[in-house]
């Protein structure tokens, strides 16, 4: 009785051990297969990373060539365009009263077309300078209020042509060092965008005030707004998101990339808040003291550099 019990216990244990060993073996094999699979995948990943880095380098080289070509072409187009625009303006002023209606229209068209092309060429030159790291500011003590007033005067007329009301509220600020022409360019693009993407009968409001030692400018519109997922792409080149301008304005998608660079060079900030269907607010701020980093400050005579 005792012997048969012992024999049966022995066999039960043996069976249990065998089952255990089989399970262990299966697990080991599964582990090896997974490890092999992992090795194959890591090798594939390594190859893909290598191919990607080669392609990325090639793309960077091509981009450099493209920018160089764009810069050269834009540079060569610039002078004739300045000439055509300048001469058509002189002709318009001098002969305006003696010309027939059609002739005057032709001259206006030449002036407008050459102005548009000149802006485009200047944008290409800026992008090329930005990408070649040769973009420089000309810092002088100036009045931001005066810059805004000057630009608002022009853009108010453009807005009125589309029955858009442009209002503003500008606080008094002392003069401070910034690049007058470049900040005018920023304001032009923000106002230009607000006007060209807004439907008629809407309002645009511009404000300027001082906050934490910075001049803060906001442009608020009641246009179509920008979807949240598009906002982080806004400041990259050639991003137009297929947005329709509400007049006949051009849309190349370069303006905000240049704006961002100008504001960055001033050690400032730019942000957007937008609700689709209700409108957008673009806000930029630039330090009123010489808040640039040491490198920029050193080249900046207005900051004692
Ligand atoms: N106020 C705005 N309301 C709605 N969409 C806007 C507004 N401002 C910019 N966008 C969107 O962002 C895109 C990029 O603007 P950006 O100023 O860079 O280029 P653009 O105005 O299309 O062309 P460019 O400025 O080169 O003439 C626009 O094409 C538009 O889709
Ligand atoms: Mg624009």
């Amino acid at each position: 009785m005792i012997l048969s019990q012992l024999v049966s216990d022995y066999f039960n244990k043996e069976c249990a051990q065998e089952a255990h060993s089989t399970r262990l073996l299966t697990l080991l094999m599964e582990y090896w297969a997974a490890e092999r699979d992992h090795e194959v995948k890591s090798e594939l990943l390594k190859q893909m990373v290598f191919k990607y880095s080669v392609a990325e380098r090639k793309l960077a080289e091509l981009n450099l060539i493209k920018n160089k070509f764009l810069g050269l072409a834009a540079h060569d187009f610039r002078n004739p365009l300045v000439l055509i625009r300048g001469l058509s303006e002189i002709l318009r002023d001098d002969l305006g009263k003696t010309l027939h209606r059609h002739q005057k229209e032709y001259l206006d068209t030449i002036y407008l077309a050459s102005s548009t092309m000149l802006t485009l060429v200047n944008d290409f030159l800026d992008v090329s300078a930005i990408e070649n790291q040769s973009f420089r500011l000309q810092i002088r003590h100036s009045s931001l209020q005066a810059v805004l007033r000057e630009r608002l005067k022009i853009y108010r007329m453009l807005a009125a042509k589309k029955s858009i009301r442009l209002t503003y509220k500008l606080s008094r600020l002392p003069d401070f060092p910034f690049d007058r022409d470049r900040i005018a360019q920023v304001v032009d693009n923000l106002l230009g965008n607000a006007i060209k993407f807004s439907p008629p009968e809407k309002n645009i409001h511009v404000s300027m005030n001082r906050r934490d030692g910075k001049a803060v400018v906001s442009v608020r519109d009641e246009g179509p707004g920008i979807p949240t997922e598009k906002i982080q792409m806004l400041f990259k080149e050639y991003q137009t998101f297929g947005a329709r301008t509400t007049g006949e304005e051009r849309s190349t998608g370069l303006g905000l990339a240049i704006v961002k660079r100008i504001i960055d060079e001033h050690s400032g900030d730019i942000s957007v808040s937008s609700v689709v269907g209700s409108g957008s607010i673009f806000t930029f701020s630039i330090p009123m003291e010489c808040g640039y980093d040491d490198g920029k400050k050193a080249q900046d005579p207005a900051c004692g550099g």
Side-chain angles (χ1 to χ4, degrees):
M1 181 68 179
I2 291 167
L3 185 64
S4 67
Q5 182 67 50
L6 277 173
V7 170
S8 135
D9 279 359
Y10 173 78
F11 275 111
N12 282 345
K13 263 190 205 158
E14 277 290 291
C15 287
Q17 237 168 21
E18 205 178 300
H20 195 65
S21 309
T22 315
R23 174 89 192 108
L24 209 65
L25 210 65
T26 317
L27 279 175
L28 267 173
M29 282 172 70
E30 276 173 11
Y31 173 77
W32 282 327
E35 200 176 38
R36 179 80 199 114
D37 189 42
H38 176 71
E39 270 169 22
V40 172
K41 280 185 181 148
S42 334
E43 188 50 40
L44 268 174
L45 202 67
K46 253 192 235 163
Q47 285 175 11
M48 275 165 72
V49 168
F50 178 72
K51 274 190 193 158
Y52 175 77
S53 66
V54 171
E56 203 181 22
R57 228 175 308 134
K58 185 110 193 108
L59 214 62
E61 277 168 25
L62 286 173
N63 199 32
L64 217 67
I65 296 171
K66 178 211 76 182
N67 281 323
K68 214 168 161 184
F69 172 76
L70 214 60
L72 283 175
H75 189 263
D76 287 353
F77 278 132
R78 205 176 174 279
N79 289 343
L81 277 173
V82 170
L83 212 68
I84 295 170
R85 191 180 66 159
L87 291 178
S88 61
E89 194 175 12
I90 292 171
L91 280 177
R92 218 170 50 155
D93 292 347
D94 289 358
L95 303 176
K97 290 199 180 86
T98 59
L99 293 176
H100 290 302
R101 194 168 55 87
H102 286 315
Q103 290 171 321
K104 199 171 169 310
E105 269 174 25
Y106 295 155
L107 261 183
D108 285 345
T109 309
I110 294 173
Y111 177 77
L112 274 178
S114 51
S115 299
T116 311
M117 278 178 78
L118 196 59
T119 316
L120 189 60
V121 160
N122 284 336
D123 282 355
F124 282 148
L125 279 172
D126 282 345
V127 168
S128 171
I130 288 171
E131 299 212 356
N132 295 332
Q133 318 278 328
S134 56
F135 191 83
R136 297 274 175 274
L137 297 182
Q138 301 285 327
I139 304 284
R140 304 267 177 275
H141 268 87
S142 310
S143 158
L144 183 57
Q145 200 177 12
V147 172
L148 280 169
R149 277 188 189 284
E150 179 194 287
R151 306 324 292 167
L152 281 161
K153 210 166 139 188
I154 299 168
Y155 280 89
R156 221 175 197 182
M157 289 190 280
L158 294 175
K161 278 191 187 167
K162 290 178 79 173
S163 308
I164 292 171
R165 215 162 72 94
L166 178 54
T167 57
Y168 57 89
K169 190 159 189 264
L170 312 177
S171 306
R172 274 178 167 274
L173 296 184
D175 288 6
F176 66 96
F178 62 94
D179 186 324
R180 205 187 150 94
D181 291 343
R182 289 301 187 182
I183 292 296
Q185 199 178 343
V186 168
V187 175
D188 282 359
N189 189 58
L190 298 185
L191 284 177
N193 285 352
I195 295 171
K196 75 181 172 186
F197 294 113
S198 290
E201 312 296 337
K202 295 288 182 184
N203 297 292
I204 295 171
H205 184 73
V206 178
S207 68
M208 179 187 75
N209 44 54
R210 182 181 192 153
R211 204 185 305 142
D212 302 330
K214 290 177 180 171
V216 183
V217 178
S218 283
V219 178
R220 187 184 73 220
D221 66 52
E222 298 170 353
I226 302 156
T228 317
E229 70 274 12
K230 301 275 166 64
I231 285 191
Q232 56 175 337
M233 301 296 290
L234 268 184
F235 297 102
K236 296 198 165 39
E237 292 155 16
Y238 302 106
Q239 300 294 328
T240 60
F241 313 123
R244 288 279 177 100
T245 58
T246 49
E248 305 231 307
E249 302 94 338
R250 86 189 162 96
S251 170
T252 319
L254 290 177
L256 287 177
I258 299 170
V259 160
K260 171 90 173 88
R261 182 55 188 251
I262 295 173
I263 298 298
D264 283 351
E265 284 290 312
H266 280 85
S267 302
D269 271 315
I270 179 153
S271 61
V272 191
S273 87
S274 189
V275 177
V276 173
S278 298
S280 314
I281 309 176
F282 283 78
T283 304
F284 74 84
S285 64
I286 46 174
M288 294 179 65
E289 309 299 329
C290 289
Y292 316 109
D293 63 38
D294 287 345
K296 284 179 203 155
K297 204 168 174 174
Q299 301 160 5
D300 177 359
C303 290

